[in-house]
PDB file of all heavy atoms in Angstrom:
ATOM      1  N   ASP A   1      -5.260  -7.017  19.551  1.00  0.00           N
ATOM      2  CA  ASP A   1      -6.682  -7.208  19.238  1.00  0.00           C
ATOM      3  C   ASP A   1      -7.126  -6.467  17.978  1.00  0.00           C
ATOM      4  O   ASP A   1      -8.300  -6.372  17.708  1.00  0.00           O
ATOM      5  CB  ASP A   1      -7.549  -6.741  20.418  1.00  0.00           C
ATOM      6  CG  ASP A   1      -7.313  -5.282  20.770  1.00  0.00           C
ATOM      7  OD1 ASP A   1      -6.415  -4.678  20.130  1.00  0.00           O
ATOM      8  OD2 ASP A   1      -7.977  -4.782  21.676  1.00  0.00           O
ATOM      9  N   ARG A   2      -6.194  -5.962  17.207  1.00  0.00           N
ATOM     10  CA  ARG A   2      -6.563  -5.194  16.025  1.00  0.00           C
ATOM     11  C   ARG A   2      -5.687  -5.586  14.840  1.00  0.00           C
ATOM     12  O   ARG A   2      -4.483  -5.658  14.943  1.00  0.00           O
ATOM     13  CB  ARG A   2      -6.427  -3.692  16.300  1.00  0.00           C
ATOM     14  CG  ARG A   2      -6.863  -2.810  15.111  1.00  0.00           C
ATOM     15  CD  ARG A   2      -6.965  -1.375  15.567  1.00  0.00           C
ATOM     16  NE  ARG A   2      -5.677  -0.826  15.926  1.00  0.00           N
ATOM     17  CZ  ARG A   2      -4.873  -0.144  15.076  1.00  0.00           C
ATOM     18  NH1 ARG A   2      -5.287   0.039  13.838  1.00  0.00           N
ATOM     19  NH2 ARG A   2      -3.719   0.338  15.454  1.00  0.00           N
ATOM     20  N   VAL A   3      -6.318  -5.875  13.705  1.00  0.00           N
ATOM     21  CA  VAL A   3      -5.602  -6.213  12.509  1.00  0.00           C
ATOM     22  C   VAL A   3      -5.650  -5.046  11.532  1.00  0.00           C
ATOM     23  O   VAL A   3      -6.744  -4.536  11.236  1.00  0.00           O
ATOM     24  CB  VAL A   3      -6.148  -7.478  11.844  1.00  0.00           C
ATOM     25  CG1 VAL A   3      -5.465  -7.740  10.517  1.00  0.00           C
ATOM     26  CG2 VAL A   3      -6.017  -8.676  12.777  1.00  0.00           C
ATOM     27  N   VAL A   4      -4.510  -4.593  11.082  1.00  0.00           N
ATOM     28  CA  VAL A   4      -4.436  -3.491  10.132  1.00  0.00           C
ATOM     29  C   VAL A   4      -4.251  -4.073   8.727  1.00  0.00           C
ATOM     30  O   VAL A   4      -3.417  -4.955   8.529  1.00  0.00           O
ATOM     31  CB  VAL A   4      -3.264  -2.547  10.467  1.00  0.00           C
ATOM     32  CG1 VAL A   4      -3.099  -1.496   9.385  1.00  0.00           C
ATOM     33  CG2 VAL A   4      -3.491  -1.892  11.803  1.00  0.00           C
ATOM     34  N   VAL A   5      -5.031  -3.592   7.797  1.00  0.00           N
ATOM     35  CA  VAL A   5      -4.905  -4.048   6.429  1.00  0.00           C
ATOM     36  C   VAL A   5      -4.517  -2.870   5.531  1.00  0.00           C
ATOM     37  O   VAL A   5      -5.171  -1.816   5.573  1.00  0.00           O
ATOM     38  CB  VAL A   5      -6.236  -4.669   5.915  1.00  0.00           C
ATOM     39  CG1 VAL A   5      -6.110  -5.034   4.433  1.00  0.00           C
ATOM     40  CG2 VAL A   5      -6.599  -5.888   6.760  1.00  0.00           C
ATOM     41  N   ASP A   6      -3.458  -3.035   4.785  1.00  0.00           N
ATOM     42  CA  ASP A   6      -3.048  -2.038   3.800  1.00  0.00           C
ATOM     43  C   ASP A   6      -3.434  -2.550   2.422  1.00  0.00           C
ATOM     44  O   ASP A   6      -3.301  -3.742   2.134  1.00  0.00           O
ATOM     45  CB  ASP A   6      -1.540  -1.825   3.824  1.00  0.00           C
ATOM     46  CG  ASP A   6      -1.077  -1.131   5.095  1.00  0.00           C
ATOM     47  OD1 ASP A   6      -1.922  -0.461   5.727  1.00  0.00           O
ATOM     48  OD2 ASP A   6       0.096  -1.262   5.445  1.00  0.00           O
ATOM     49  N   ILE A   7      -3.917  -1.658   1.589  1.00  0.00           N
ATOM     50  CA  ILE A   7      -4.166  -2.012   0.193  1.00  0.00           C
ATOM     51  C   ILE A   7      -3.064  -1.363  -0.646  1.00  0.00           C
ATOM     52  O   ILE A   7      -2.459  -0.386  -0.233  1.00  0.00           O
ATOM     53  CB  ILE A   7      -5.554  -1.546  -0.290  1.00  0.00           C
ATOM     54  CG1 ILE A   7      -5.697  -0.027  -0.183  1.00  0.00           C
ATOM     55  CG2 ILE A   7      -6.666  -2.251   0.503  1.00  0.00           C
ATOM     56  CD1 ILE A   7      -6.976   0.510  -0.764  1.00  0.00           C
ATOM     57  N   PHE A   8      -2.818  -1.939  -1.815  1.00  0.00           N
ATOM     58  CA  PHE A   8      -1.763  -1.385  -2.635  1.00  0.00           C
ATOM     59  C   PHE A   8      -2.117  -1.547  -4.114  1.00  0.00           C
ATOM     60  O   PHE A   8      -2.892  -2.396  -4.513  1.00  0.00           O
ATOM     61  CB  PHE A   8      -0.411  -2.043  -2.353  1.00  0.00           C
ATOM     62  CG  PHE A   8      -0.387  -3.537  -2.555  1.00  0.00           C
ATOM     63  CD1 PHE A   8      -0.131  -4.076  -3.795  1.00  0.00           C
ATOM     64  CD2 PHE A   8      -0.634  -4.391  -1.502  1.00  0.00           C
ATOM     65  CE1 PHE A   8      -0.124  -5.442  -4.011  1.00  0.00           C
ATOM     66  CE2 PHE A   8      -0.629  -5.760  -1.676  1.00  0.00           C
ATOM     67  CZ  PHE A   8      -0.377  -6.291  -2.924  1.00  0.00           C
ATOM     68  N   LYS A   9      -1.496  -0.674  -4.911  1.00  0.00           N
ATOM     69  CA  LYS A   9      -1.609  -0.721  -6.366  1.00  0.00           C
ATOM     70  C   LYS A   9      -0.208  -0.568  -6.924  1.00  0.00           C
ATOM     71  O   LYS A   9       0.582   0.243  -6.425  1.00  0.00           O
ATOM     72  CB  LYS A   9      -2.515   0.408  -6.885  1.00  0.00           C
ATOM     73  CG  LYS A   9      -3.942   0.351  -6.394  1.00  0.00           C
ATOM     74  CD  LYS A   9      -4.762   1.519  -6.920  1.00  0.00           C
ATOM     75  CE  LYS A   9      -6.195   1.478  -6.383  1.00  0.00           C
ATOM     76  NZ  LYS A   9      -6.987   2.631  -6.904  1.00  0.00           N
ATOM     77  N   ALA A  10       0.080  -1.338  -7.985  1.00  0.00           N
ATOM     78  CA  ALA A  10       1.445  -1.281  -8.521  1.00  0.00           C
ATOM     79  C   ALA A  10       1.454  -1.612 -10.000  1.00  0.00           C
ATOM     80  O   ALA A  10       0.481  -2.125 -10.556  1.00  0.00           O
ATOM     81  CB  ALA A  10       2.365  -2.245  -7.771  1.00  0.00           C
ATOM     82  N   GLU A  11       2.594  -1.331 -10.630  1.00  0.00           N
ATOM     83  CA  GLU A  11       2.837  -1.657 -12.024  1.00  0.00           C
ATOM     84  C   GLU A  11       4.053  -2.558 -12.116  1.00  0.00           C
ATOM     85  O   GLU A  11       4.999  -2.381 -11.353  1.00  0.00           O
ATOM     86  CB  GLU A  11       3.053  -0.382 -12.842  1.00  0.00           C
ATOM     87  CG  GLU A  11       3.298  -0.647 -14.331  1.00  0.00           C
ATOM     88  CD  GLU A  11       3.544   0.624 -15.114  1.00  0.00           C
ATOM     89  OE1 GLU A  11       3.840   1.672 -14.473  1.00  0.00           O
ATOM     90  OE2 GLU A  11       3.438   0.601 -16.344  1.00  0.00           O
ATOM     91  N   VAL A  12       4.015  -3.524 -13.019  1.00  0.00           N
ATOM     92  CA  VAL A  12       5.140  -4.444 -13.225  1.00  0.00           C
ATOM     93  C   VAL A  12       5.745  -4.157 -14.610  1.00  0.00           C
ATOM     94  O   VAL A  12       5.055  -4.221 -15.614  1.00  0.00           O
ATOM     95  CB  VAL A  12       4.694  -5.916 -13.151  1.00  0.00           C
ATOM     96  CG1 VAL A  12       5.909  -6.848 -13.257  1.00  0.00           C
ATOM     97  CG2 VAL A  12       3.927  -6.178 -11.866  1.00  0.00           C
ATOM     98  N   ILE A  13       7.039  -3.861 -14.632  1.00  0.00           N
ATOM     99  CA  ILE A  13       7.759  -3.669 -15.880  1.00  0.00           C
ATOM    100  C   ILE A  13       8.922  -4.645 -15.852  1.00  0.00           C
ATOM    101  O   ILE A  13       9.823  -4.545 -15.013  1.00  0.00           O
ATOM    102  CB  ILE A  13       8.282  -2.229 -16.028  1.00  0.00           C
ATOM    103  CG1 ILE A  13       7.115  -1.240 -15.988  1.00  0.00           C
ATOM    104  CG2 ILE A  13       9.073  -2.075 -17.304  1.00  0.00           C
ATOM    105  CD1 ILE A  13       7.555   0.227 -16.043  1.00  0.00           C
ATOM    106  N   ASN A  14       8.905  -5.636 -16.749  1.00  0.00           N
ATOM    107  CA  ASN A  14       9.855  -6.746 -16.711  1.00  0.00           C
ATOM    108  C   ASN A  14       9.736  -7.402 -15.331  1.00  0.00           C
ATOM    109  O   ASN A  14       8.692  -7.944 -14.987  1.00  0.00           O
ATOM    110  CB  ASN A  14      11.276  -6.272 -17.008  1.00  0.00           C
ATOM    111  CG  ASN A  14      11.428  -5.826 -18.460  1.00  0.00           C
ATOM    112  OD1 ASN A  14      10.912  -6.481 -19.363  1.00  0.00           O
ATOM    113  ND2 ASN A  14      12.115  -4.730 -18.678  1.00  0.00           N
ATOM    114  N   ASN A  15      10.755  -7.348 -14.510  1.00  0.00           N
ATOM    115  CA  ASN A  15      10.696  -7.928 -13.168  1.00  0.00           C
ATOM    116  C   ASN A  15      10.716  -6.882 -12.066  1.00  0.00           C
ATOM    117  O   ASN A  15      11.011  -7.173 -10.906  1.00  0.00           O
ATOM    118  CB  ASN A  15      11.877  -8.925 -12.954  1.00  0.00           C
ATOM    119  CG  ASN A  15      13.205  -8.210 -12.890  1.00  0.00           C
ATOM    120  OD1 ASN A  15      13.460  -7.259 -13.653  1.00  0.00           O
ATOM    121  ND2 ASN A  15      14.056  -8.627 -11.982  1.00  0.00           N
ATOM    122  N   VAL A  16      10.389  -5.644 -12.439  1.00  0.00           N
ATOM    123  CA  VAL A  16      10.409  -4.535 -11.491  1.00  0.00           C
ATOM    124  C   VAL A  16       8.997  -4.174 -11.112  1.00  0.00           C
ATOM    125  O   VAL A  16       8.116  -3.982 -11.948  1.00  0.00           O
ATOM    126  CB  VAL A  16      11.109  -3.298 -12.087  1.00  0.00           C
ATOM    127  CG1 VAL A  16      11.098  -2.146 -11.106  1.00  0.00           C
ATOM    128  CG2 VAL A  16      12.539  -3.644 -12.489  1.00  0.00           C
ATOM    129  N   VAL A  17       8.722  -4.088  -9.765  1.00  0.00           N
ATOM    130  CA  VAL A  17       7.410  -3.773  -9.256  1.00  0.00           C
ATOM    131  C   VAL A  17       7.490  -2.453  -8.493  1.00  0.00           C
ATOM    132  O   VAL A  17       8.308  -2.304  -7.595  1.00  0.00           O
ATOM    133  CB  VAL A  17       6.914  -4.852  -8.299  1.00  0.00           C
ATOM    134  CG1 VAL A  17       5.435  -4.620  -7.930  1.00  0.00           C
ATOM    135  CG2 VAL A  17       7.113  -6.229  -8.864  1.00  0.00           C
ATOM    136  N   SER A  18       6.650  -1.481  -8.872  1.00  0.00           N
ATOM    137  CA  SER A  18       6.646  -0.203  -8.158  1.00  0.00           C
ATOM    138  C   SER A  18       5.211   0.247  -7.955  1.00  0.00           C
ATOM    139  O   SER A  18       4.359   0.087  -8.834  1.00  0.00           O
ATOM    140  CB  SER A  18       7.434   0.856  -8.937  1.00  0.00           C
ATOM    141  OG  SER A  18       6.871   1.060 -10.220  1.00  0.00           O
ATOM    142  N   GLY A  19       4.930   0.806  -6.782  1.00  0.00           N
ATOM    143  CA  GLY A  19       3.557   1.225  -6.511  1.00  0.00           C
ATOM    144  C   GLY A  19       3.405   1.949  -5.216  1.00  0.00           C
ATOM    145  O   GLY A  19       4.382   2.424  -4.596  1.00  0.00           O
ATOM    146  N   ARG A  20       2.133   2.043  -4.734  1.00  0.00           N
ATOM    147  CA  ARG A  20       1.791   2.762  -3.528  1.00  0.00           C
ATOM    148  C   ARG A  20       0.922   1.896  -2.648  1.00  0.00           C
ATOM    149  O   ARG A  20       0.132   1.067  -3.143  1.00  0.00           O
ATOM    150  CB  ARG A  20       1.063   4.070  -3.837  1.00  0.00           C
ATOM    151  CG  ARG A  20       1.850   5.078  -4.644  1.00  0.00           C
ATOM    152  CD  ARG A  20       1.043   6.348  -4.828  1.00  0.00           C
ATOM    153  NE  ARG A  20       0.754   6.975  -3.543  1.00  0.00           N
ATOM    154  CZ  ARG A  20      -0.131   7.974  -3.409  1.00  0.00           C
ATOM    155  NH1 ARG A  20      -0.801   8.422  -4.443  1.00  0.00           N
ATOM    156  NH2 ARG A  20      -0.337   8.520  -2.216  1.00  0.00           N
ATOM    157  N   SER A  21       1.042   2.091  -1.339  1.00  0.00           N
ATOM    158  CA  SER A  21       0.210   1.386  -0.367  1.00  0.00           C
ATOM    159  C   SER A  21      -0.602   2.404   0.437  1.00  0.00           C
ATOM    160  O   SER A  21      -0.155   3.546   0.621  1.00  0.00           O
ATOM    161  CB  SER A  21       1.062   0.513   0.567  1.00  0.00           C
ATOM    162  OG  SER A  21       1.980   1.323   1.307  1.00  0.00           O
ATOM    163  N   PHE A  22      -1.774   1.984   0.933  1.00  0.00           N
ATOM    164  CA  PHE A  22      -2.673   2.877   1.629  1.00  0.00           C
ATOM    165  C   PHE A  22      -3.268   2.147   2.844  1.00  0.00           C
ATOM    166  O   PHE A  22      -3.663   1.001   2.745  1.00  0.00           O
ATOM    167  CB  PHE A  22      -3.819   3.340   0.733  1.00  0.00           C
ATOM    168  CG  PHE A  22      -3.368   3.863  -0.594  1.00  0.00           C
ATOM    169  CD1 PHE A  22      -3.186   3.010  -1.680  1.00  0.00           C
ATOM    170  CD2 PHE A  22      -3.139   5.215  -0.806  1.00  0.00           C
ATOM    171  CE1 PHE A  22      -2.785   3.464  -2.922  1.00  0.00           C
ATOM    172  CE2 PHE A  22      -2.725   5.679  -2.039  1.00  0.00           C
ATOM    173  CZ  PHE A  22      -2.549   4.813  -3.096  1.00  0.00           C
ATOM    174  N   HIS A  23      -3.377   2.858   3.961  1.00  0.00           N
ATOM    175  CA  HIS A  23      -4.075   2.326   5.131  1.00  0.00           C
ATOM    176  C   HIS A  23      -5.571   2.327   4.876  1.00  0.00           C
ATOM    177  O   HIS A  23      -6.086   3.223   4.218  1.00  0.00           O
ATOM    178  CB  HIS A  23      -3.783   3.171   6.356  1.00  0.00           C
ATOM    179  CG  HIS A  23      -2.796   2.544   7.286  1.00  0.00           C
ATOM    180  ND1 HIS A  23      -2.618   1.188   7.388  1.00  0.00           N
ATOM    181  CD2 HIS A  23      -1.935   3.103   8.189  1.00  0.00           C
ATOM    182  CE1 HIS A  23      -1.688   0.931   8.299  1.00  0.00           C
ATOM    183  NE2 HIS A  23      -1.257   2.078   8.777  1.00  0.00           N
ATOM    184  N   THR A  24      -6.283   1.368   5.427  1.00  0.00           N
ATOM    185  CA  THR A  24      -7.748   1.315   5.291  1.00  0.00           C
ATOM    186  C   THR A  24      -8.441   1.699   6.599  1.00  0.00           C
ATOM    187  O   THR A  24      -9.664   1.773   6.637  1.00  0.00           O
ATOM    188  CB  THR A  24      -8.200  -0.094   4.896  1.00  0.00           C
ATOM    189  OG1 THR A  24      -7.790  -1.034   5.895  1.00  0.00           O
ATOM    190  CG2 THR A  24      -7.630  -0.491   3.555  1.00  0.00           C
ATOM    191  N   SER A  25      -7.687   1.912   7.683  1.00  0.00           N
ATOM    192  CA  SER A  25      -8.291   2.177   8.985  1.00  0.00           C
ATOM    193  C   SER A  25      -8.496   3.666   9.199  1.00  0.00           C
ATOM    194  O   SER A  25      -7.552   4.435   9.305  1.00  0.00           O
ATOM    195  CB  SER A  25      -7.423   1.618  10.110  1.00  0.00           C
ATOM    196  OG  SER A  25      -6.137   2.158  10.040  1.00  0.00           O
ATOM    197  N   ASN A  26      -9.750   4.104   9.209  1.00  0.00           N
ATOM    198  CA  ASN A  26     -10.129   5.485   9.541  1.00  0.00           C
ATOM    199  C   ASN A  26      -9.432   6.539   8.669  1.00  0.00           C
ATOM    200  O   ASN A  26      -9.258   7.667   9.109  1.00  0.00           O
ATOM    201  CB  ASN A  26      -9.826   5.774  11.008  1.00  0.00           C
ATOM    202  CG  ASN A  26     -10.546   4.809  11.945  1.00  0.00           C
ATOM    203  OD1 ASN A  26     -11.677   4.452  11.689  1.00  0.00           O
ATOM    204  ND2 ASN A  26      -9.877   4.391  13.016  1.00  0.00           N
ATOM    205  N   GLY A  27      -9.072   6.158   7.464  1.00  0.00           N
ATOM    206  CA  GLY A  27      -8.432   7.116   6.584  1.00  0.00           C
ATOM    207  C   GLY A  27      -7.114   7.628   7.103  1.00  0.00           C
ATOM    208  O   GLY A  27      -6.657   8.697   6.715  1.00  0.00           O
ATOM    209  N   ALA A  28      -6.456   6.863   7.990  1.00  0.00           N
ATOM    210  CA  ALA A  28      -5.208   7.322   8.611  1.00  0.00           C
ATOM    211  C   ALA A  28      -4.128   7.506   7.563  1.00  0.00           C
ATOM    212  O   ALA A  28      -3.988   6.719   6.633  1.00  0.00           O
ATOM    213  CB  ALA A  28      -4.750   6.314   9.663  1.00  0.00           C
ATOM    214  N   LEU A  29      -3.359   8.567   7.741  1.00  0.00           N
ATOM    215  CA  LEU A  29      -2.248   8.827   6.813  1.00  0.00           C
ATOM    216  C   LEU A  29      -1.042   7.955   7.133  1.00  0.00           C
ATOM    217  O   LEU A  29      -0.265   7.587   6.258  1.00  0.00           O
ATOM    218  CB  LEU A  29      -1.852  10.316   6.883  1.00  0.00           C
ATOM    219  CG  LEU A  29      -0.770  10.796   5.901  1.00  0.00           C
ATOM    220  CD1 LEU A  29      -1.272  10.625   4.460  1.00  0.00           C
ATOM    221  CD2 LEU A  29      -0.436  12.260   6.173  1.00  0.00           C
ATOM    222  N   SER A  30      -0.857   7.611   8.425  1.00  0.00           N
ATOM    223  CA  SER A  30       0.279   6.806   8.833  1.00  0.00           C
ATOM    224  C   SER A  30       0.270   5.479   8.088  1.00  0.00           C
ATOM    225  O   SER A  30      -0.768   4.843   7.926  1.00  0.00           O
ATOM    226  CB  SER A  30       0.281   6.560  10.335  1.00  0.00           C
ATOM    227  OG  SER A  30      -0.858   5.796  10.693  1.00  0.00           O
ATOM    228  N   GLY A  31       1.450   5.047   7.660  1.00  0.00           N
ATOM    229  CA  GLY A  31       1.544   3.780   6.933  1.00  0.00           C
ATOM    230  C   GLY A  31       1.442   3.948   5.451  1.00  0.00           C
ATOM    231  O   GLY A  31       1.883   3.080   4.685  1.00  0.00           O
ATOM    232  N   THR A  32       0.878   5.068   4.978  1.00  0.00           N
ATOM    233  CA  THR A  32       0.811   5.298   3.537  1.00  0.00           C
ATOM    234  C   THR A  32       2.221   5.429   2.984  1.00  0.00           C
ATOM    235  O   THR A  32       3.080   6.074   3.596  1.00  0.00           O
ATOM    236  CB  THR A  32       0.034   6.614   3.245  1.00  0.00           C
ATOM    237  OG1 THR A  32      -1.292   6.434   3.694  1.00  0.00           O
ATOM    238  CG2 THR A  32       0.023   6.904   1.774  1.00  0.00           C
ATOM    239  N   GLY A  33       2.498   4.788   1.888  1.00  0.00           N
ATOM    240  CA  GLY A  33       3.873   4.831   1.394  1.00  0.00           C
ATOM    241  C   GLY A  33       4.028   4.369  -0.039  1.00  0.00           C
ATOM    242  O   GLY A  33       3.046   4.164  -0.757  1.00  0.00           O
ATOM    243  N   THR A  34       5.276   4.233  -0.455  1.00  0.00           N
ATOM    244  CA  THR A  34       5.618   3.770  -1.788  1.00  0.00           C
ATOM    245  C   THR A  34       6.592   2.608  -1.649  1.00  0.00           C
ATOM    246  O   THR A  34       7.319   2.496  -0.661  1.00  0.00           O
ATOM    247  CB  THR A  34       6.275   4.866  -2.629  1.00  0.00           C
ATOM    248  OG1 THR A  34       7.486   5.318  -1.980  1.00  0.00           O
ATOM    249  CG2 THR A  34       5.313   6.069  -2.777  1.00  0.00           C
ATOM    250  N   PHE A  35       6.610   1.744  -2.657  1.00  0.00           N
ATOM    251  CA  PHE A  35       7.542   0.612  -2.604  1.00  0.00           C
ATOM    252  C   PHE A  35       8.106   0.355  -3.994  1.00  0.00           C
ATOM    253  O   PHE A  35       7.520   0.713  -5.021  1.00  0.00           O
ATOM    254  CB  PHE A  35       6.863  -0.642  -2.056  1.00  0.00           C
ATOM    255  CG  PHE A  35       5.624  -1.055  -2.812  1.00  0.00           C
ATOM    256  CD1 PHE A  35       5.697  -1.929  -3.905  1.00  0.00           C
ATOM    257  CD2 PHE A  35       4.387  -0.597  -2.414  1.00  0.00           C
ATOM    258  CE1 PHE A  35       4.571  -2.287  -4.604  1.00  0.00           C
ATOM    259  CE2 PHE A  35       3.233  -0.961  -3.111  1.00  0.00           C
ATOM    260  CZ  PHE A  35       3.315  -1.791  -4.200  1.00  0.00           C
TER     261      PHE A  35
END
């Protein structure tokens, strides 16, 4: 009954994508990461 949405920001260099993702639910730290 709950949908979690992560937001992310990244940079593209040639065909390489690198960035960070953040949880939007209650400022929770869990799920925060890098890709």
Side-chain angles (χ1 to χ4, degrees):
D1 58 357
R2 183 168 66 93
V3 175
V4 174
V5 176
D6 291 337
I7 61 174
F8 58 86
K9 298 179 181 179
E11 181 181 17
V12 184
I13 301 176
N14 292 318
N15 68 319
V16 179
V17 189
S18 59
R20 298 183 63 192
S21 61
F22 310 87
H23 257 332
T24 59
S25 57
N26 301 322
L29 185 62
S30 64
T32 297
T34 61
F35 56 89

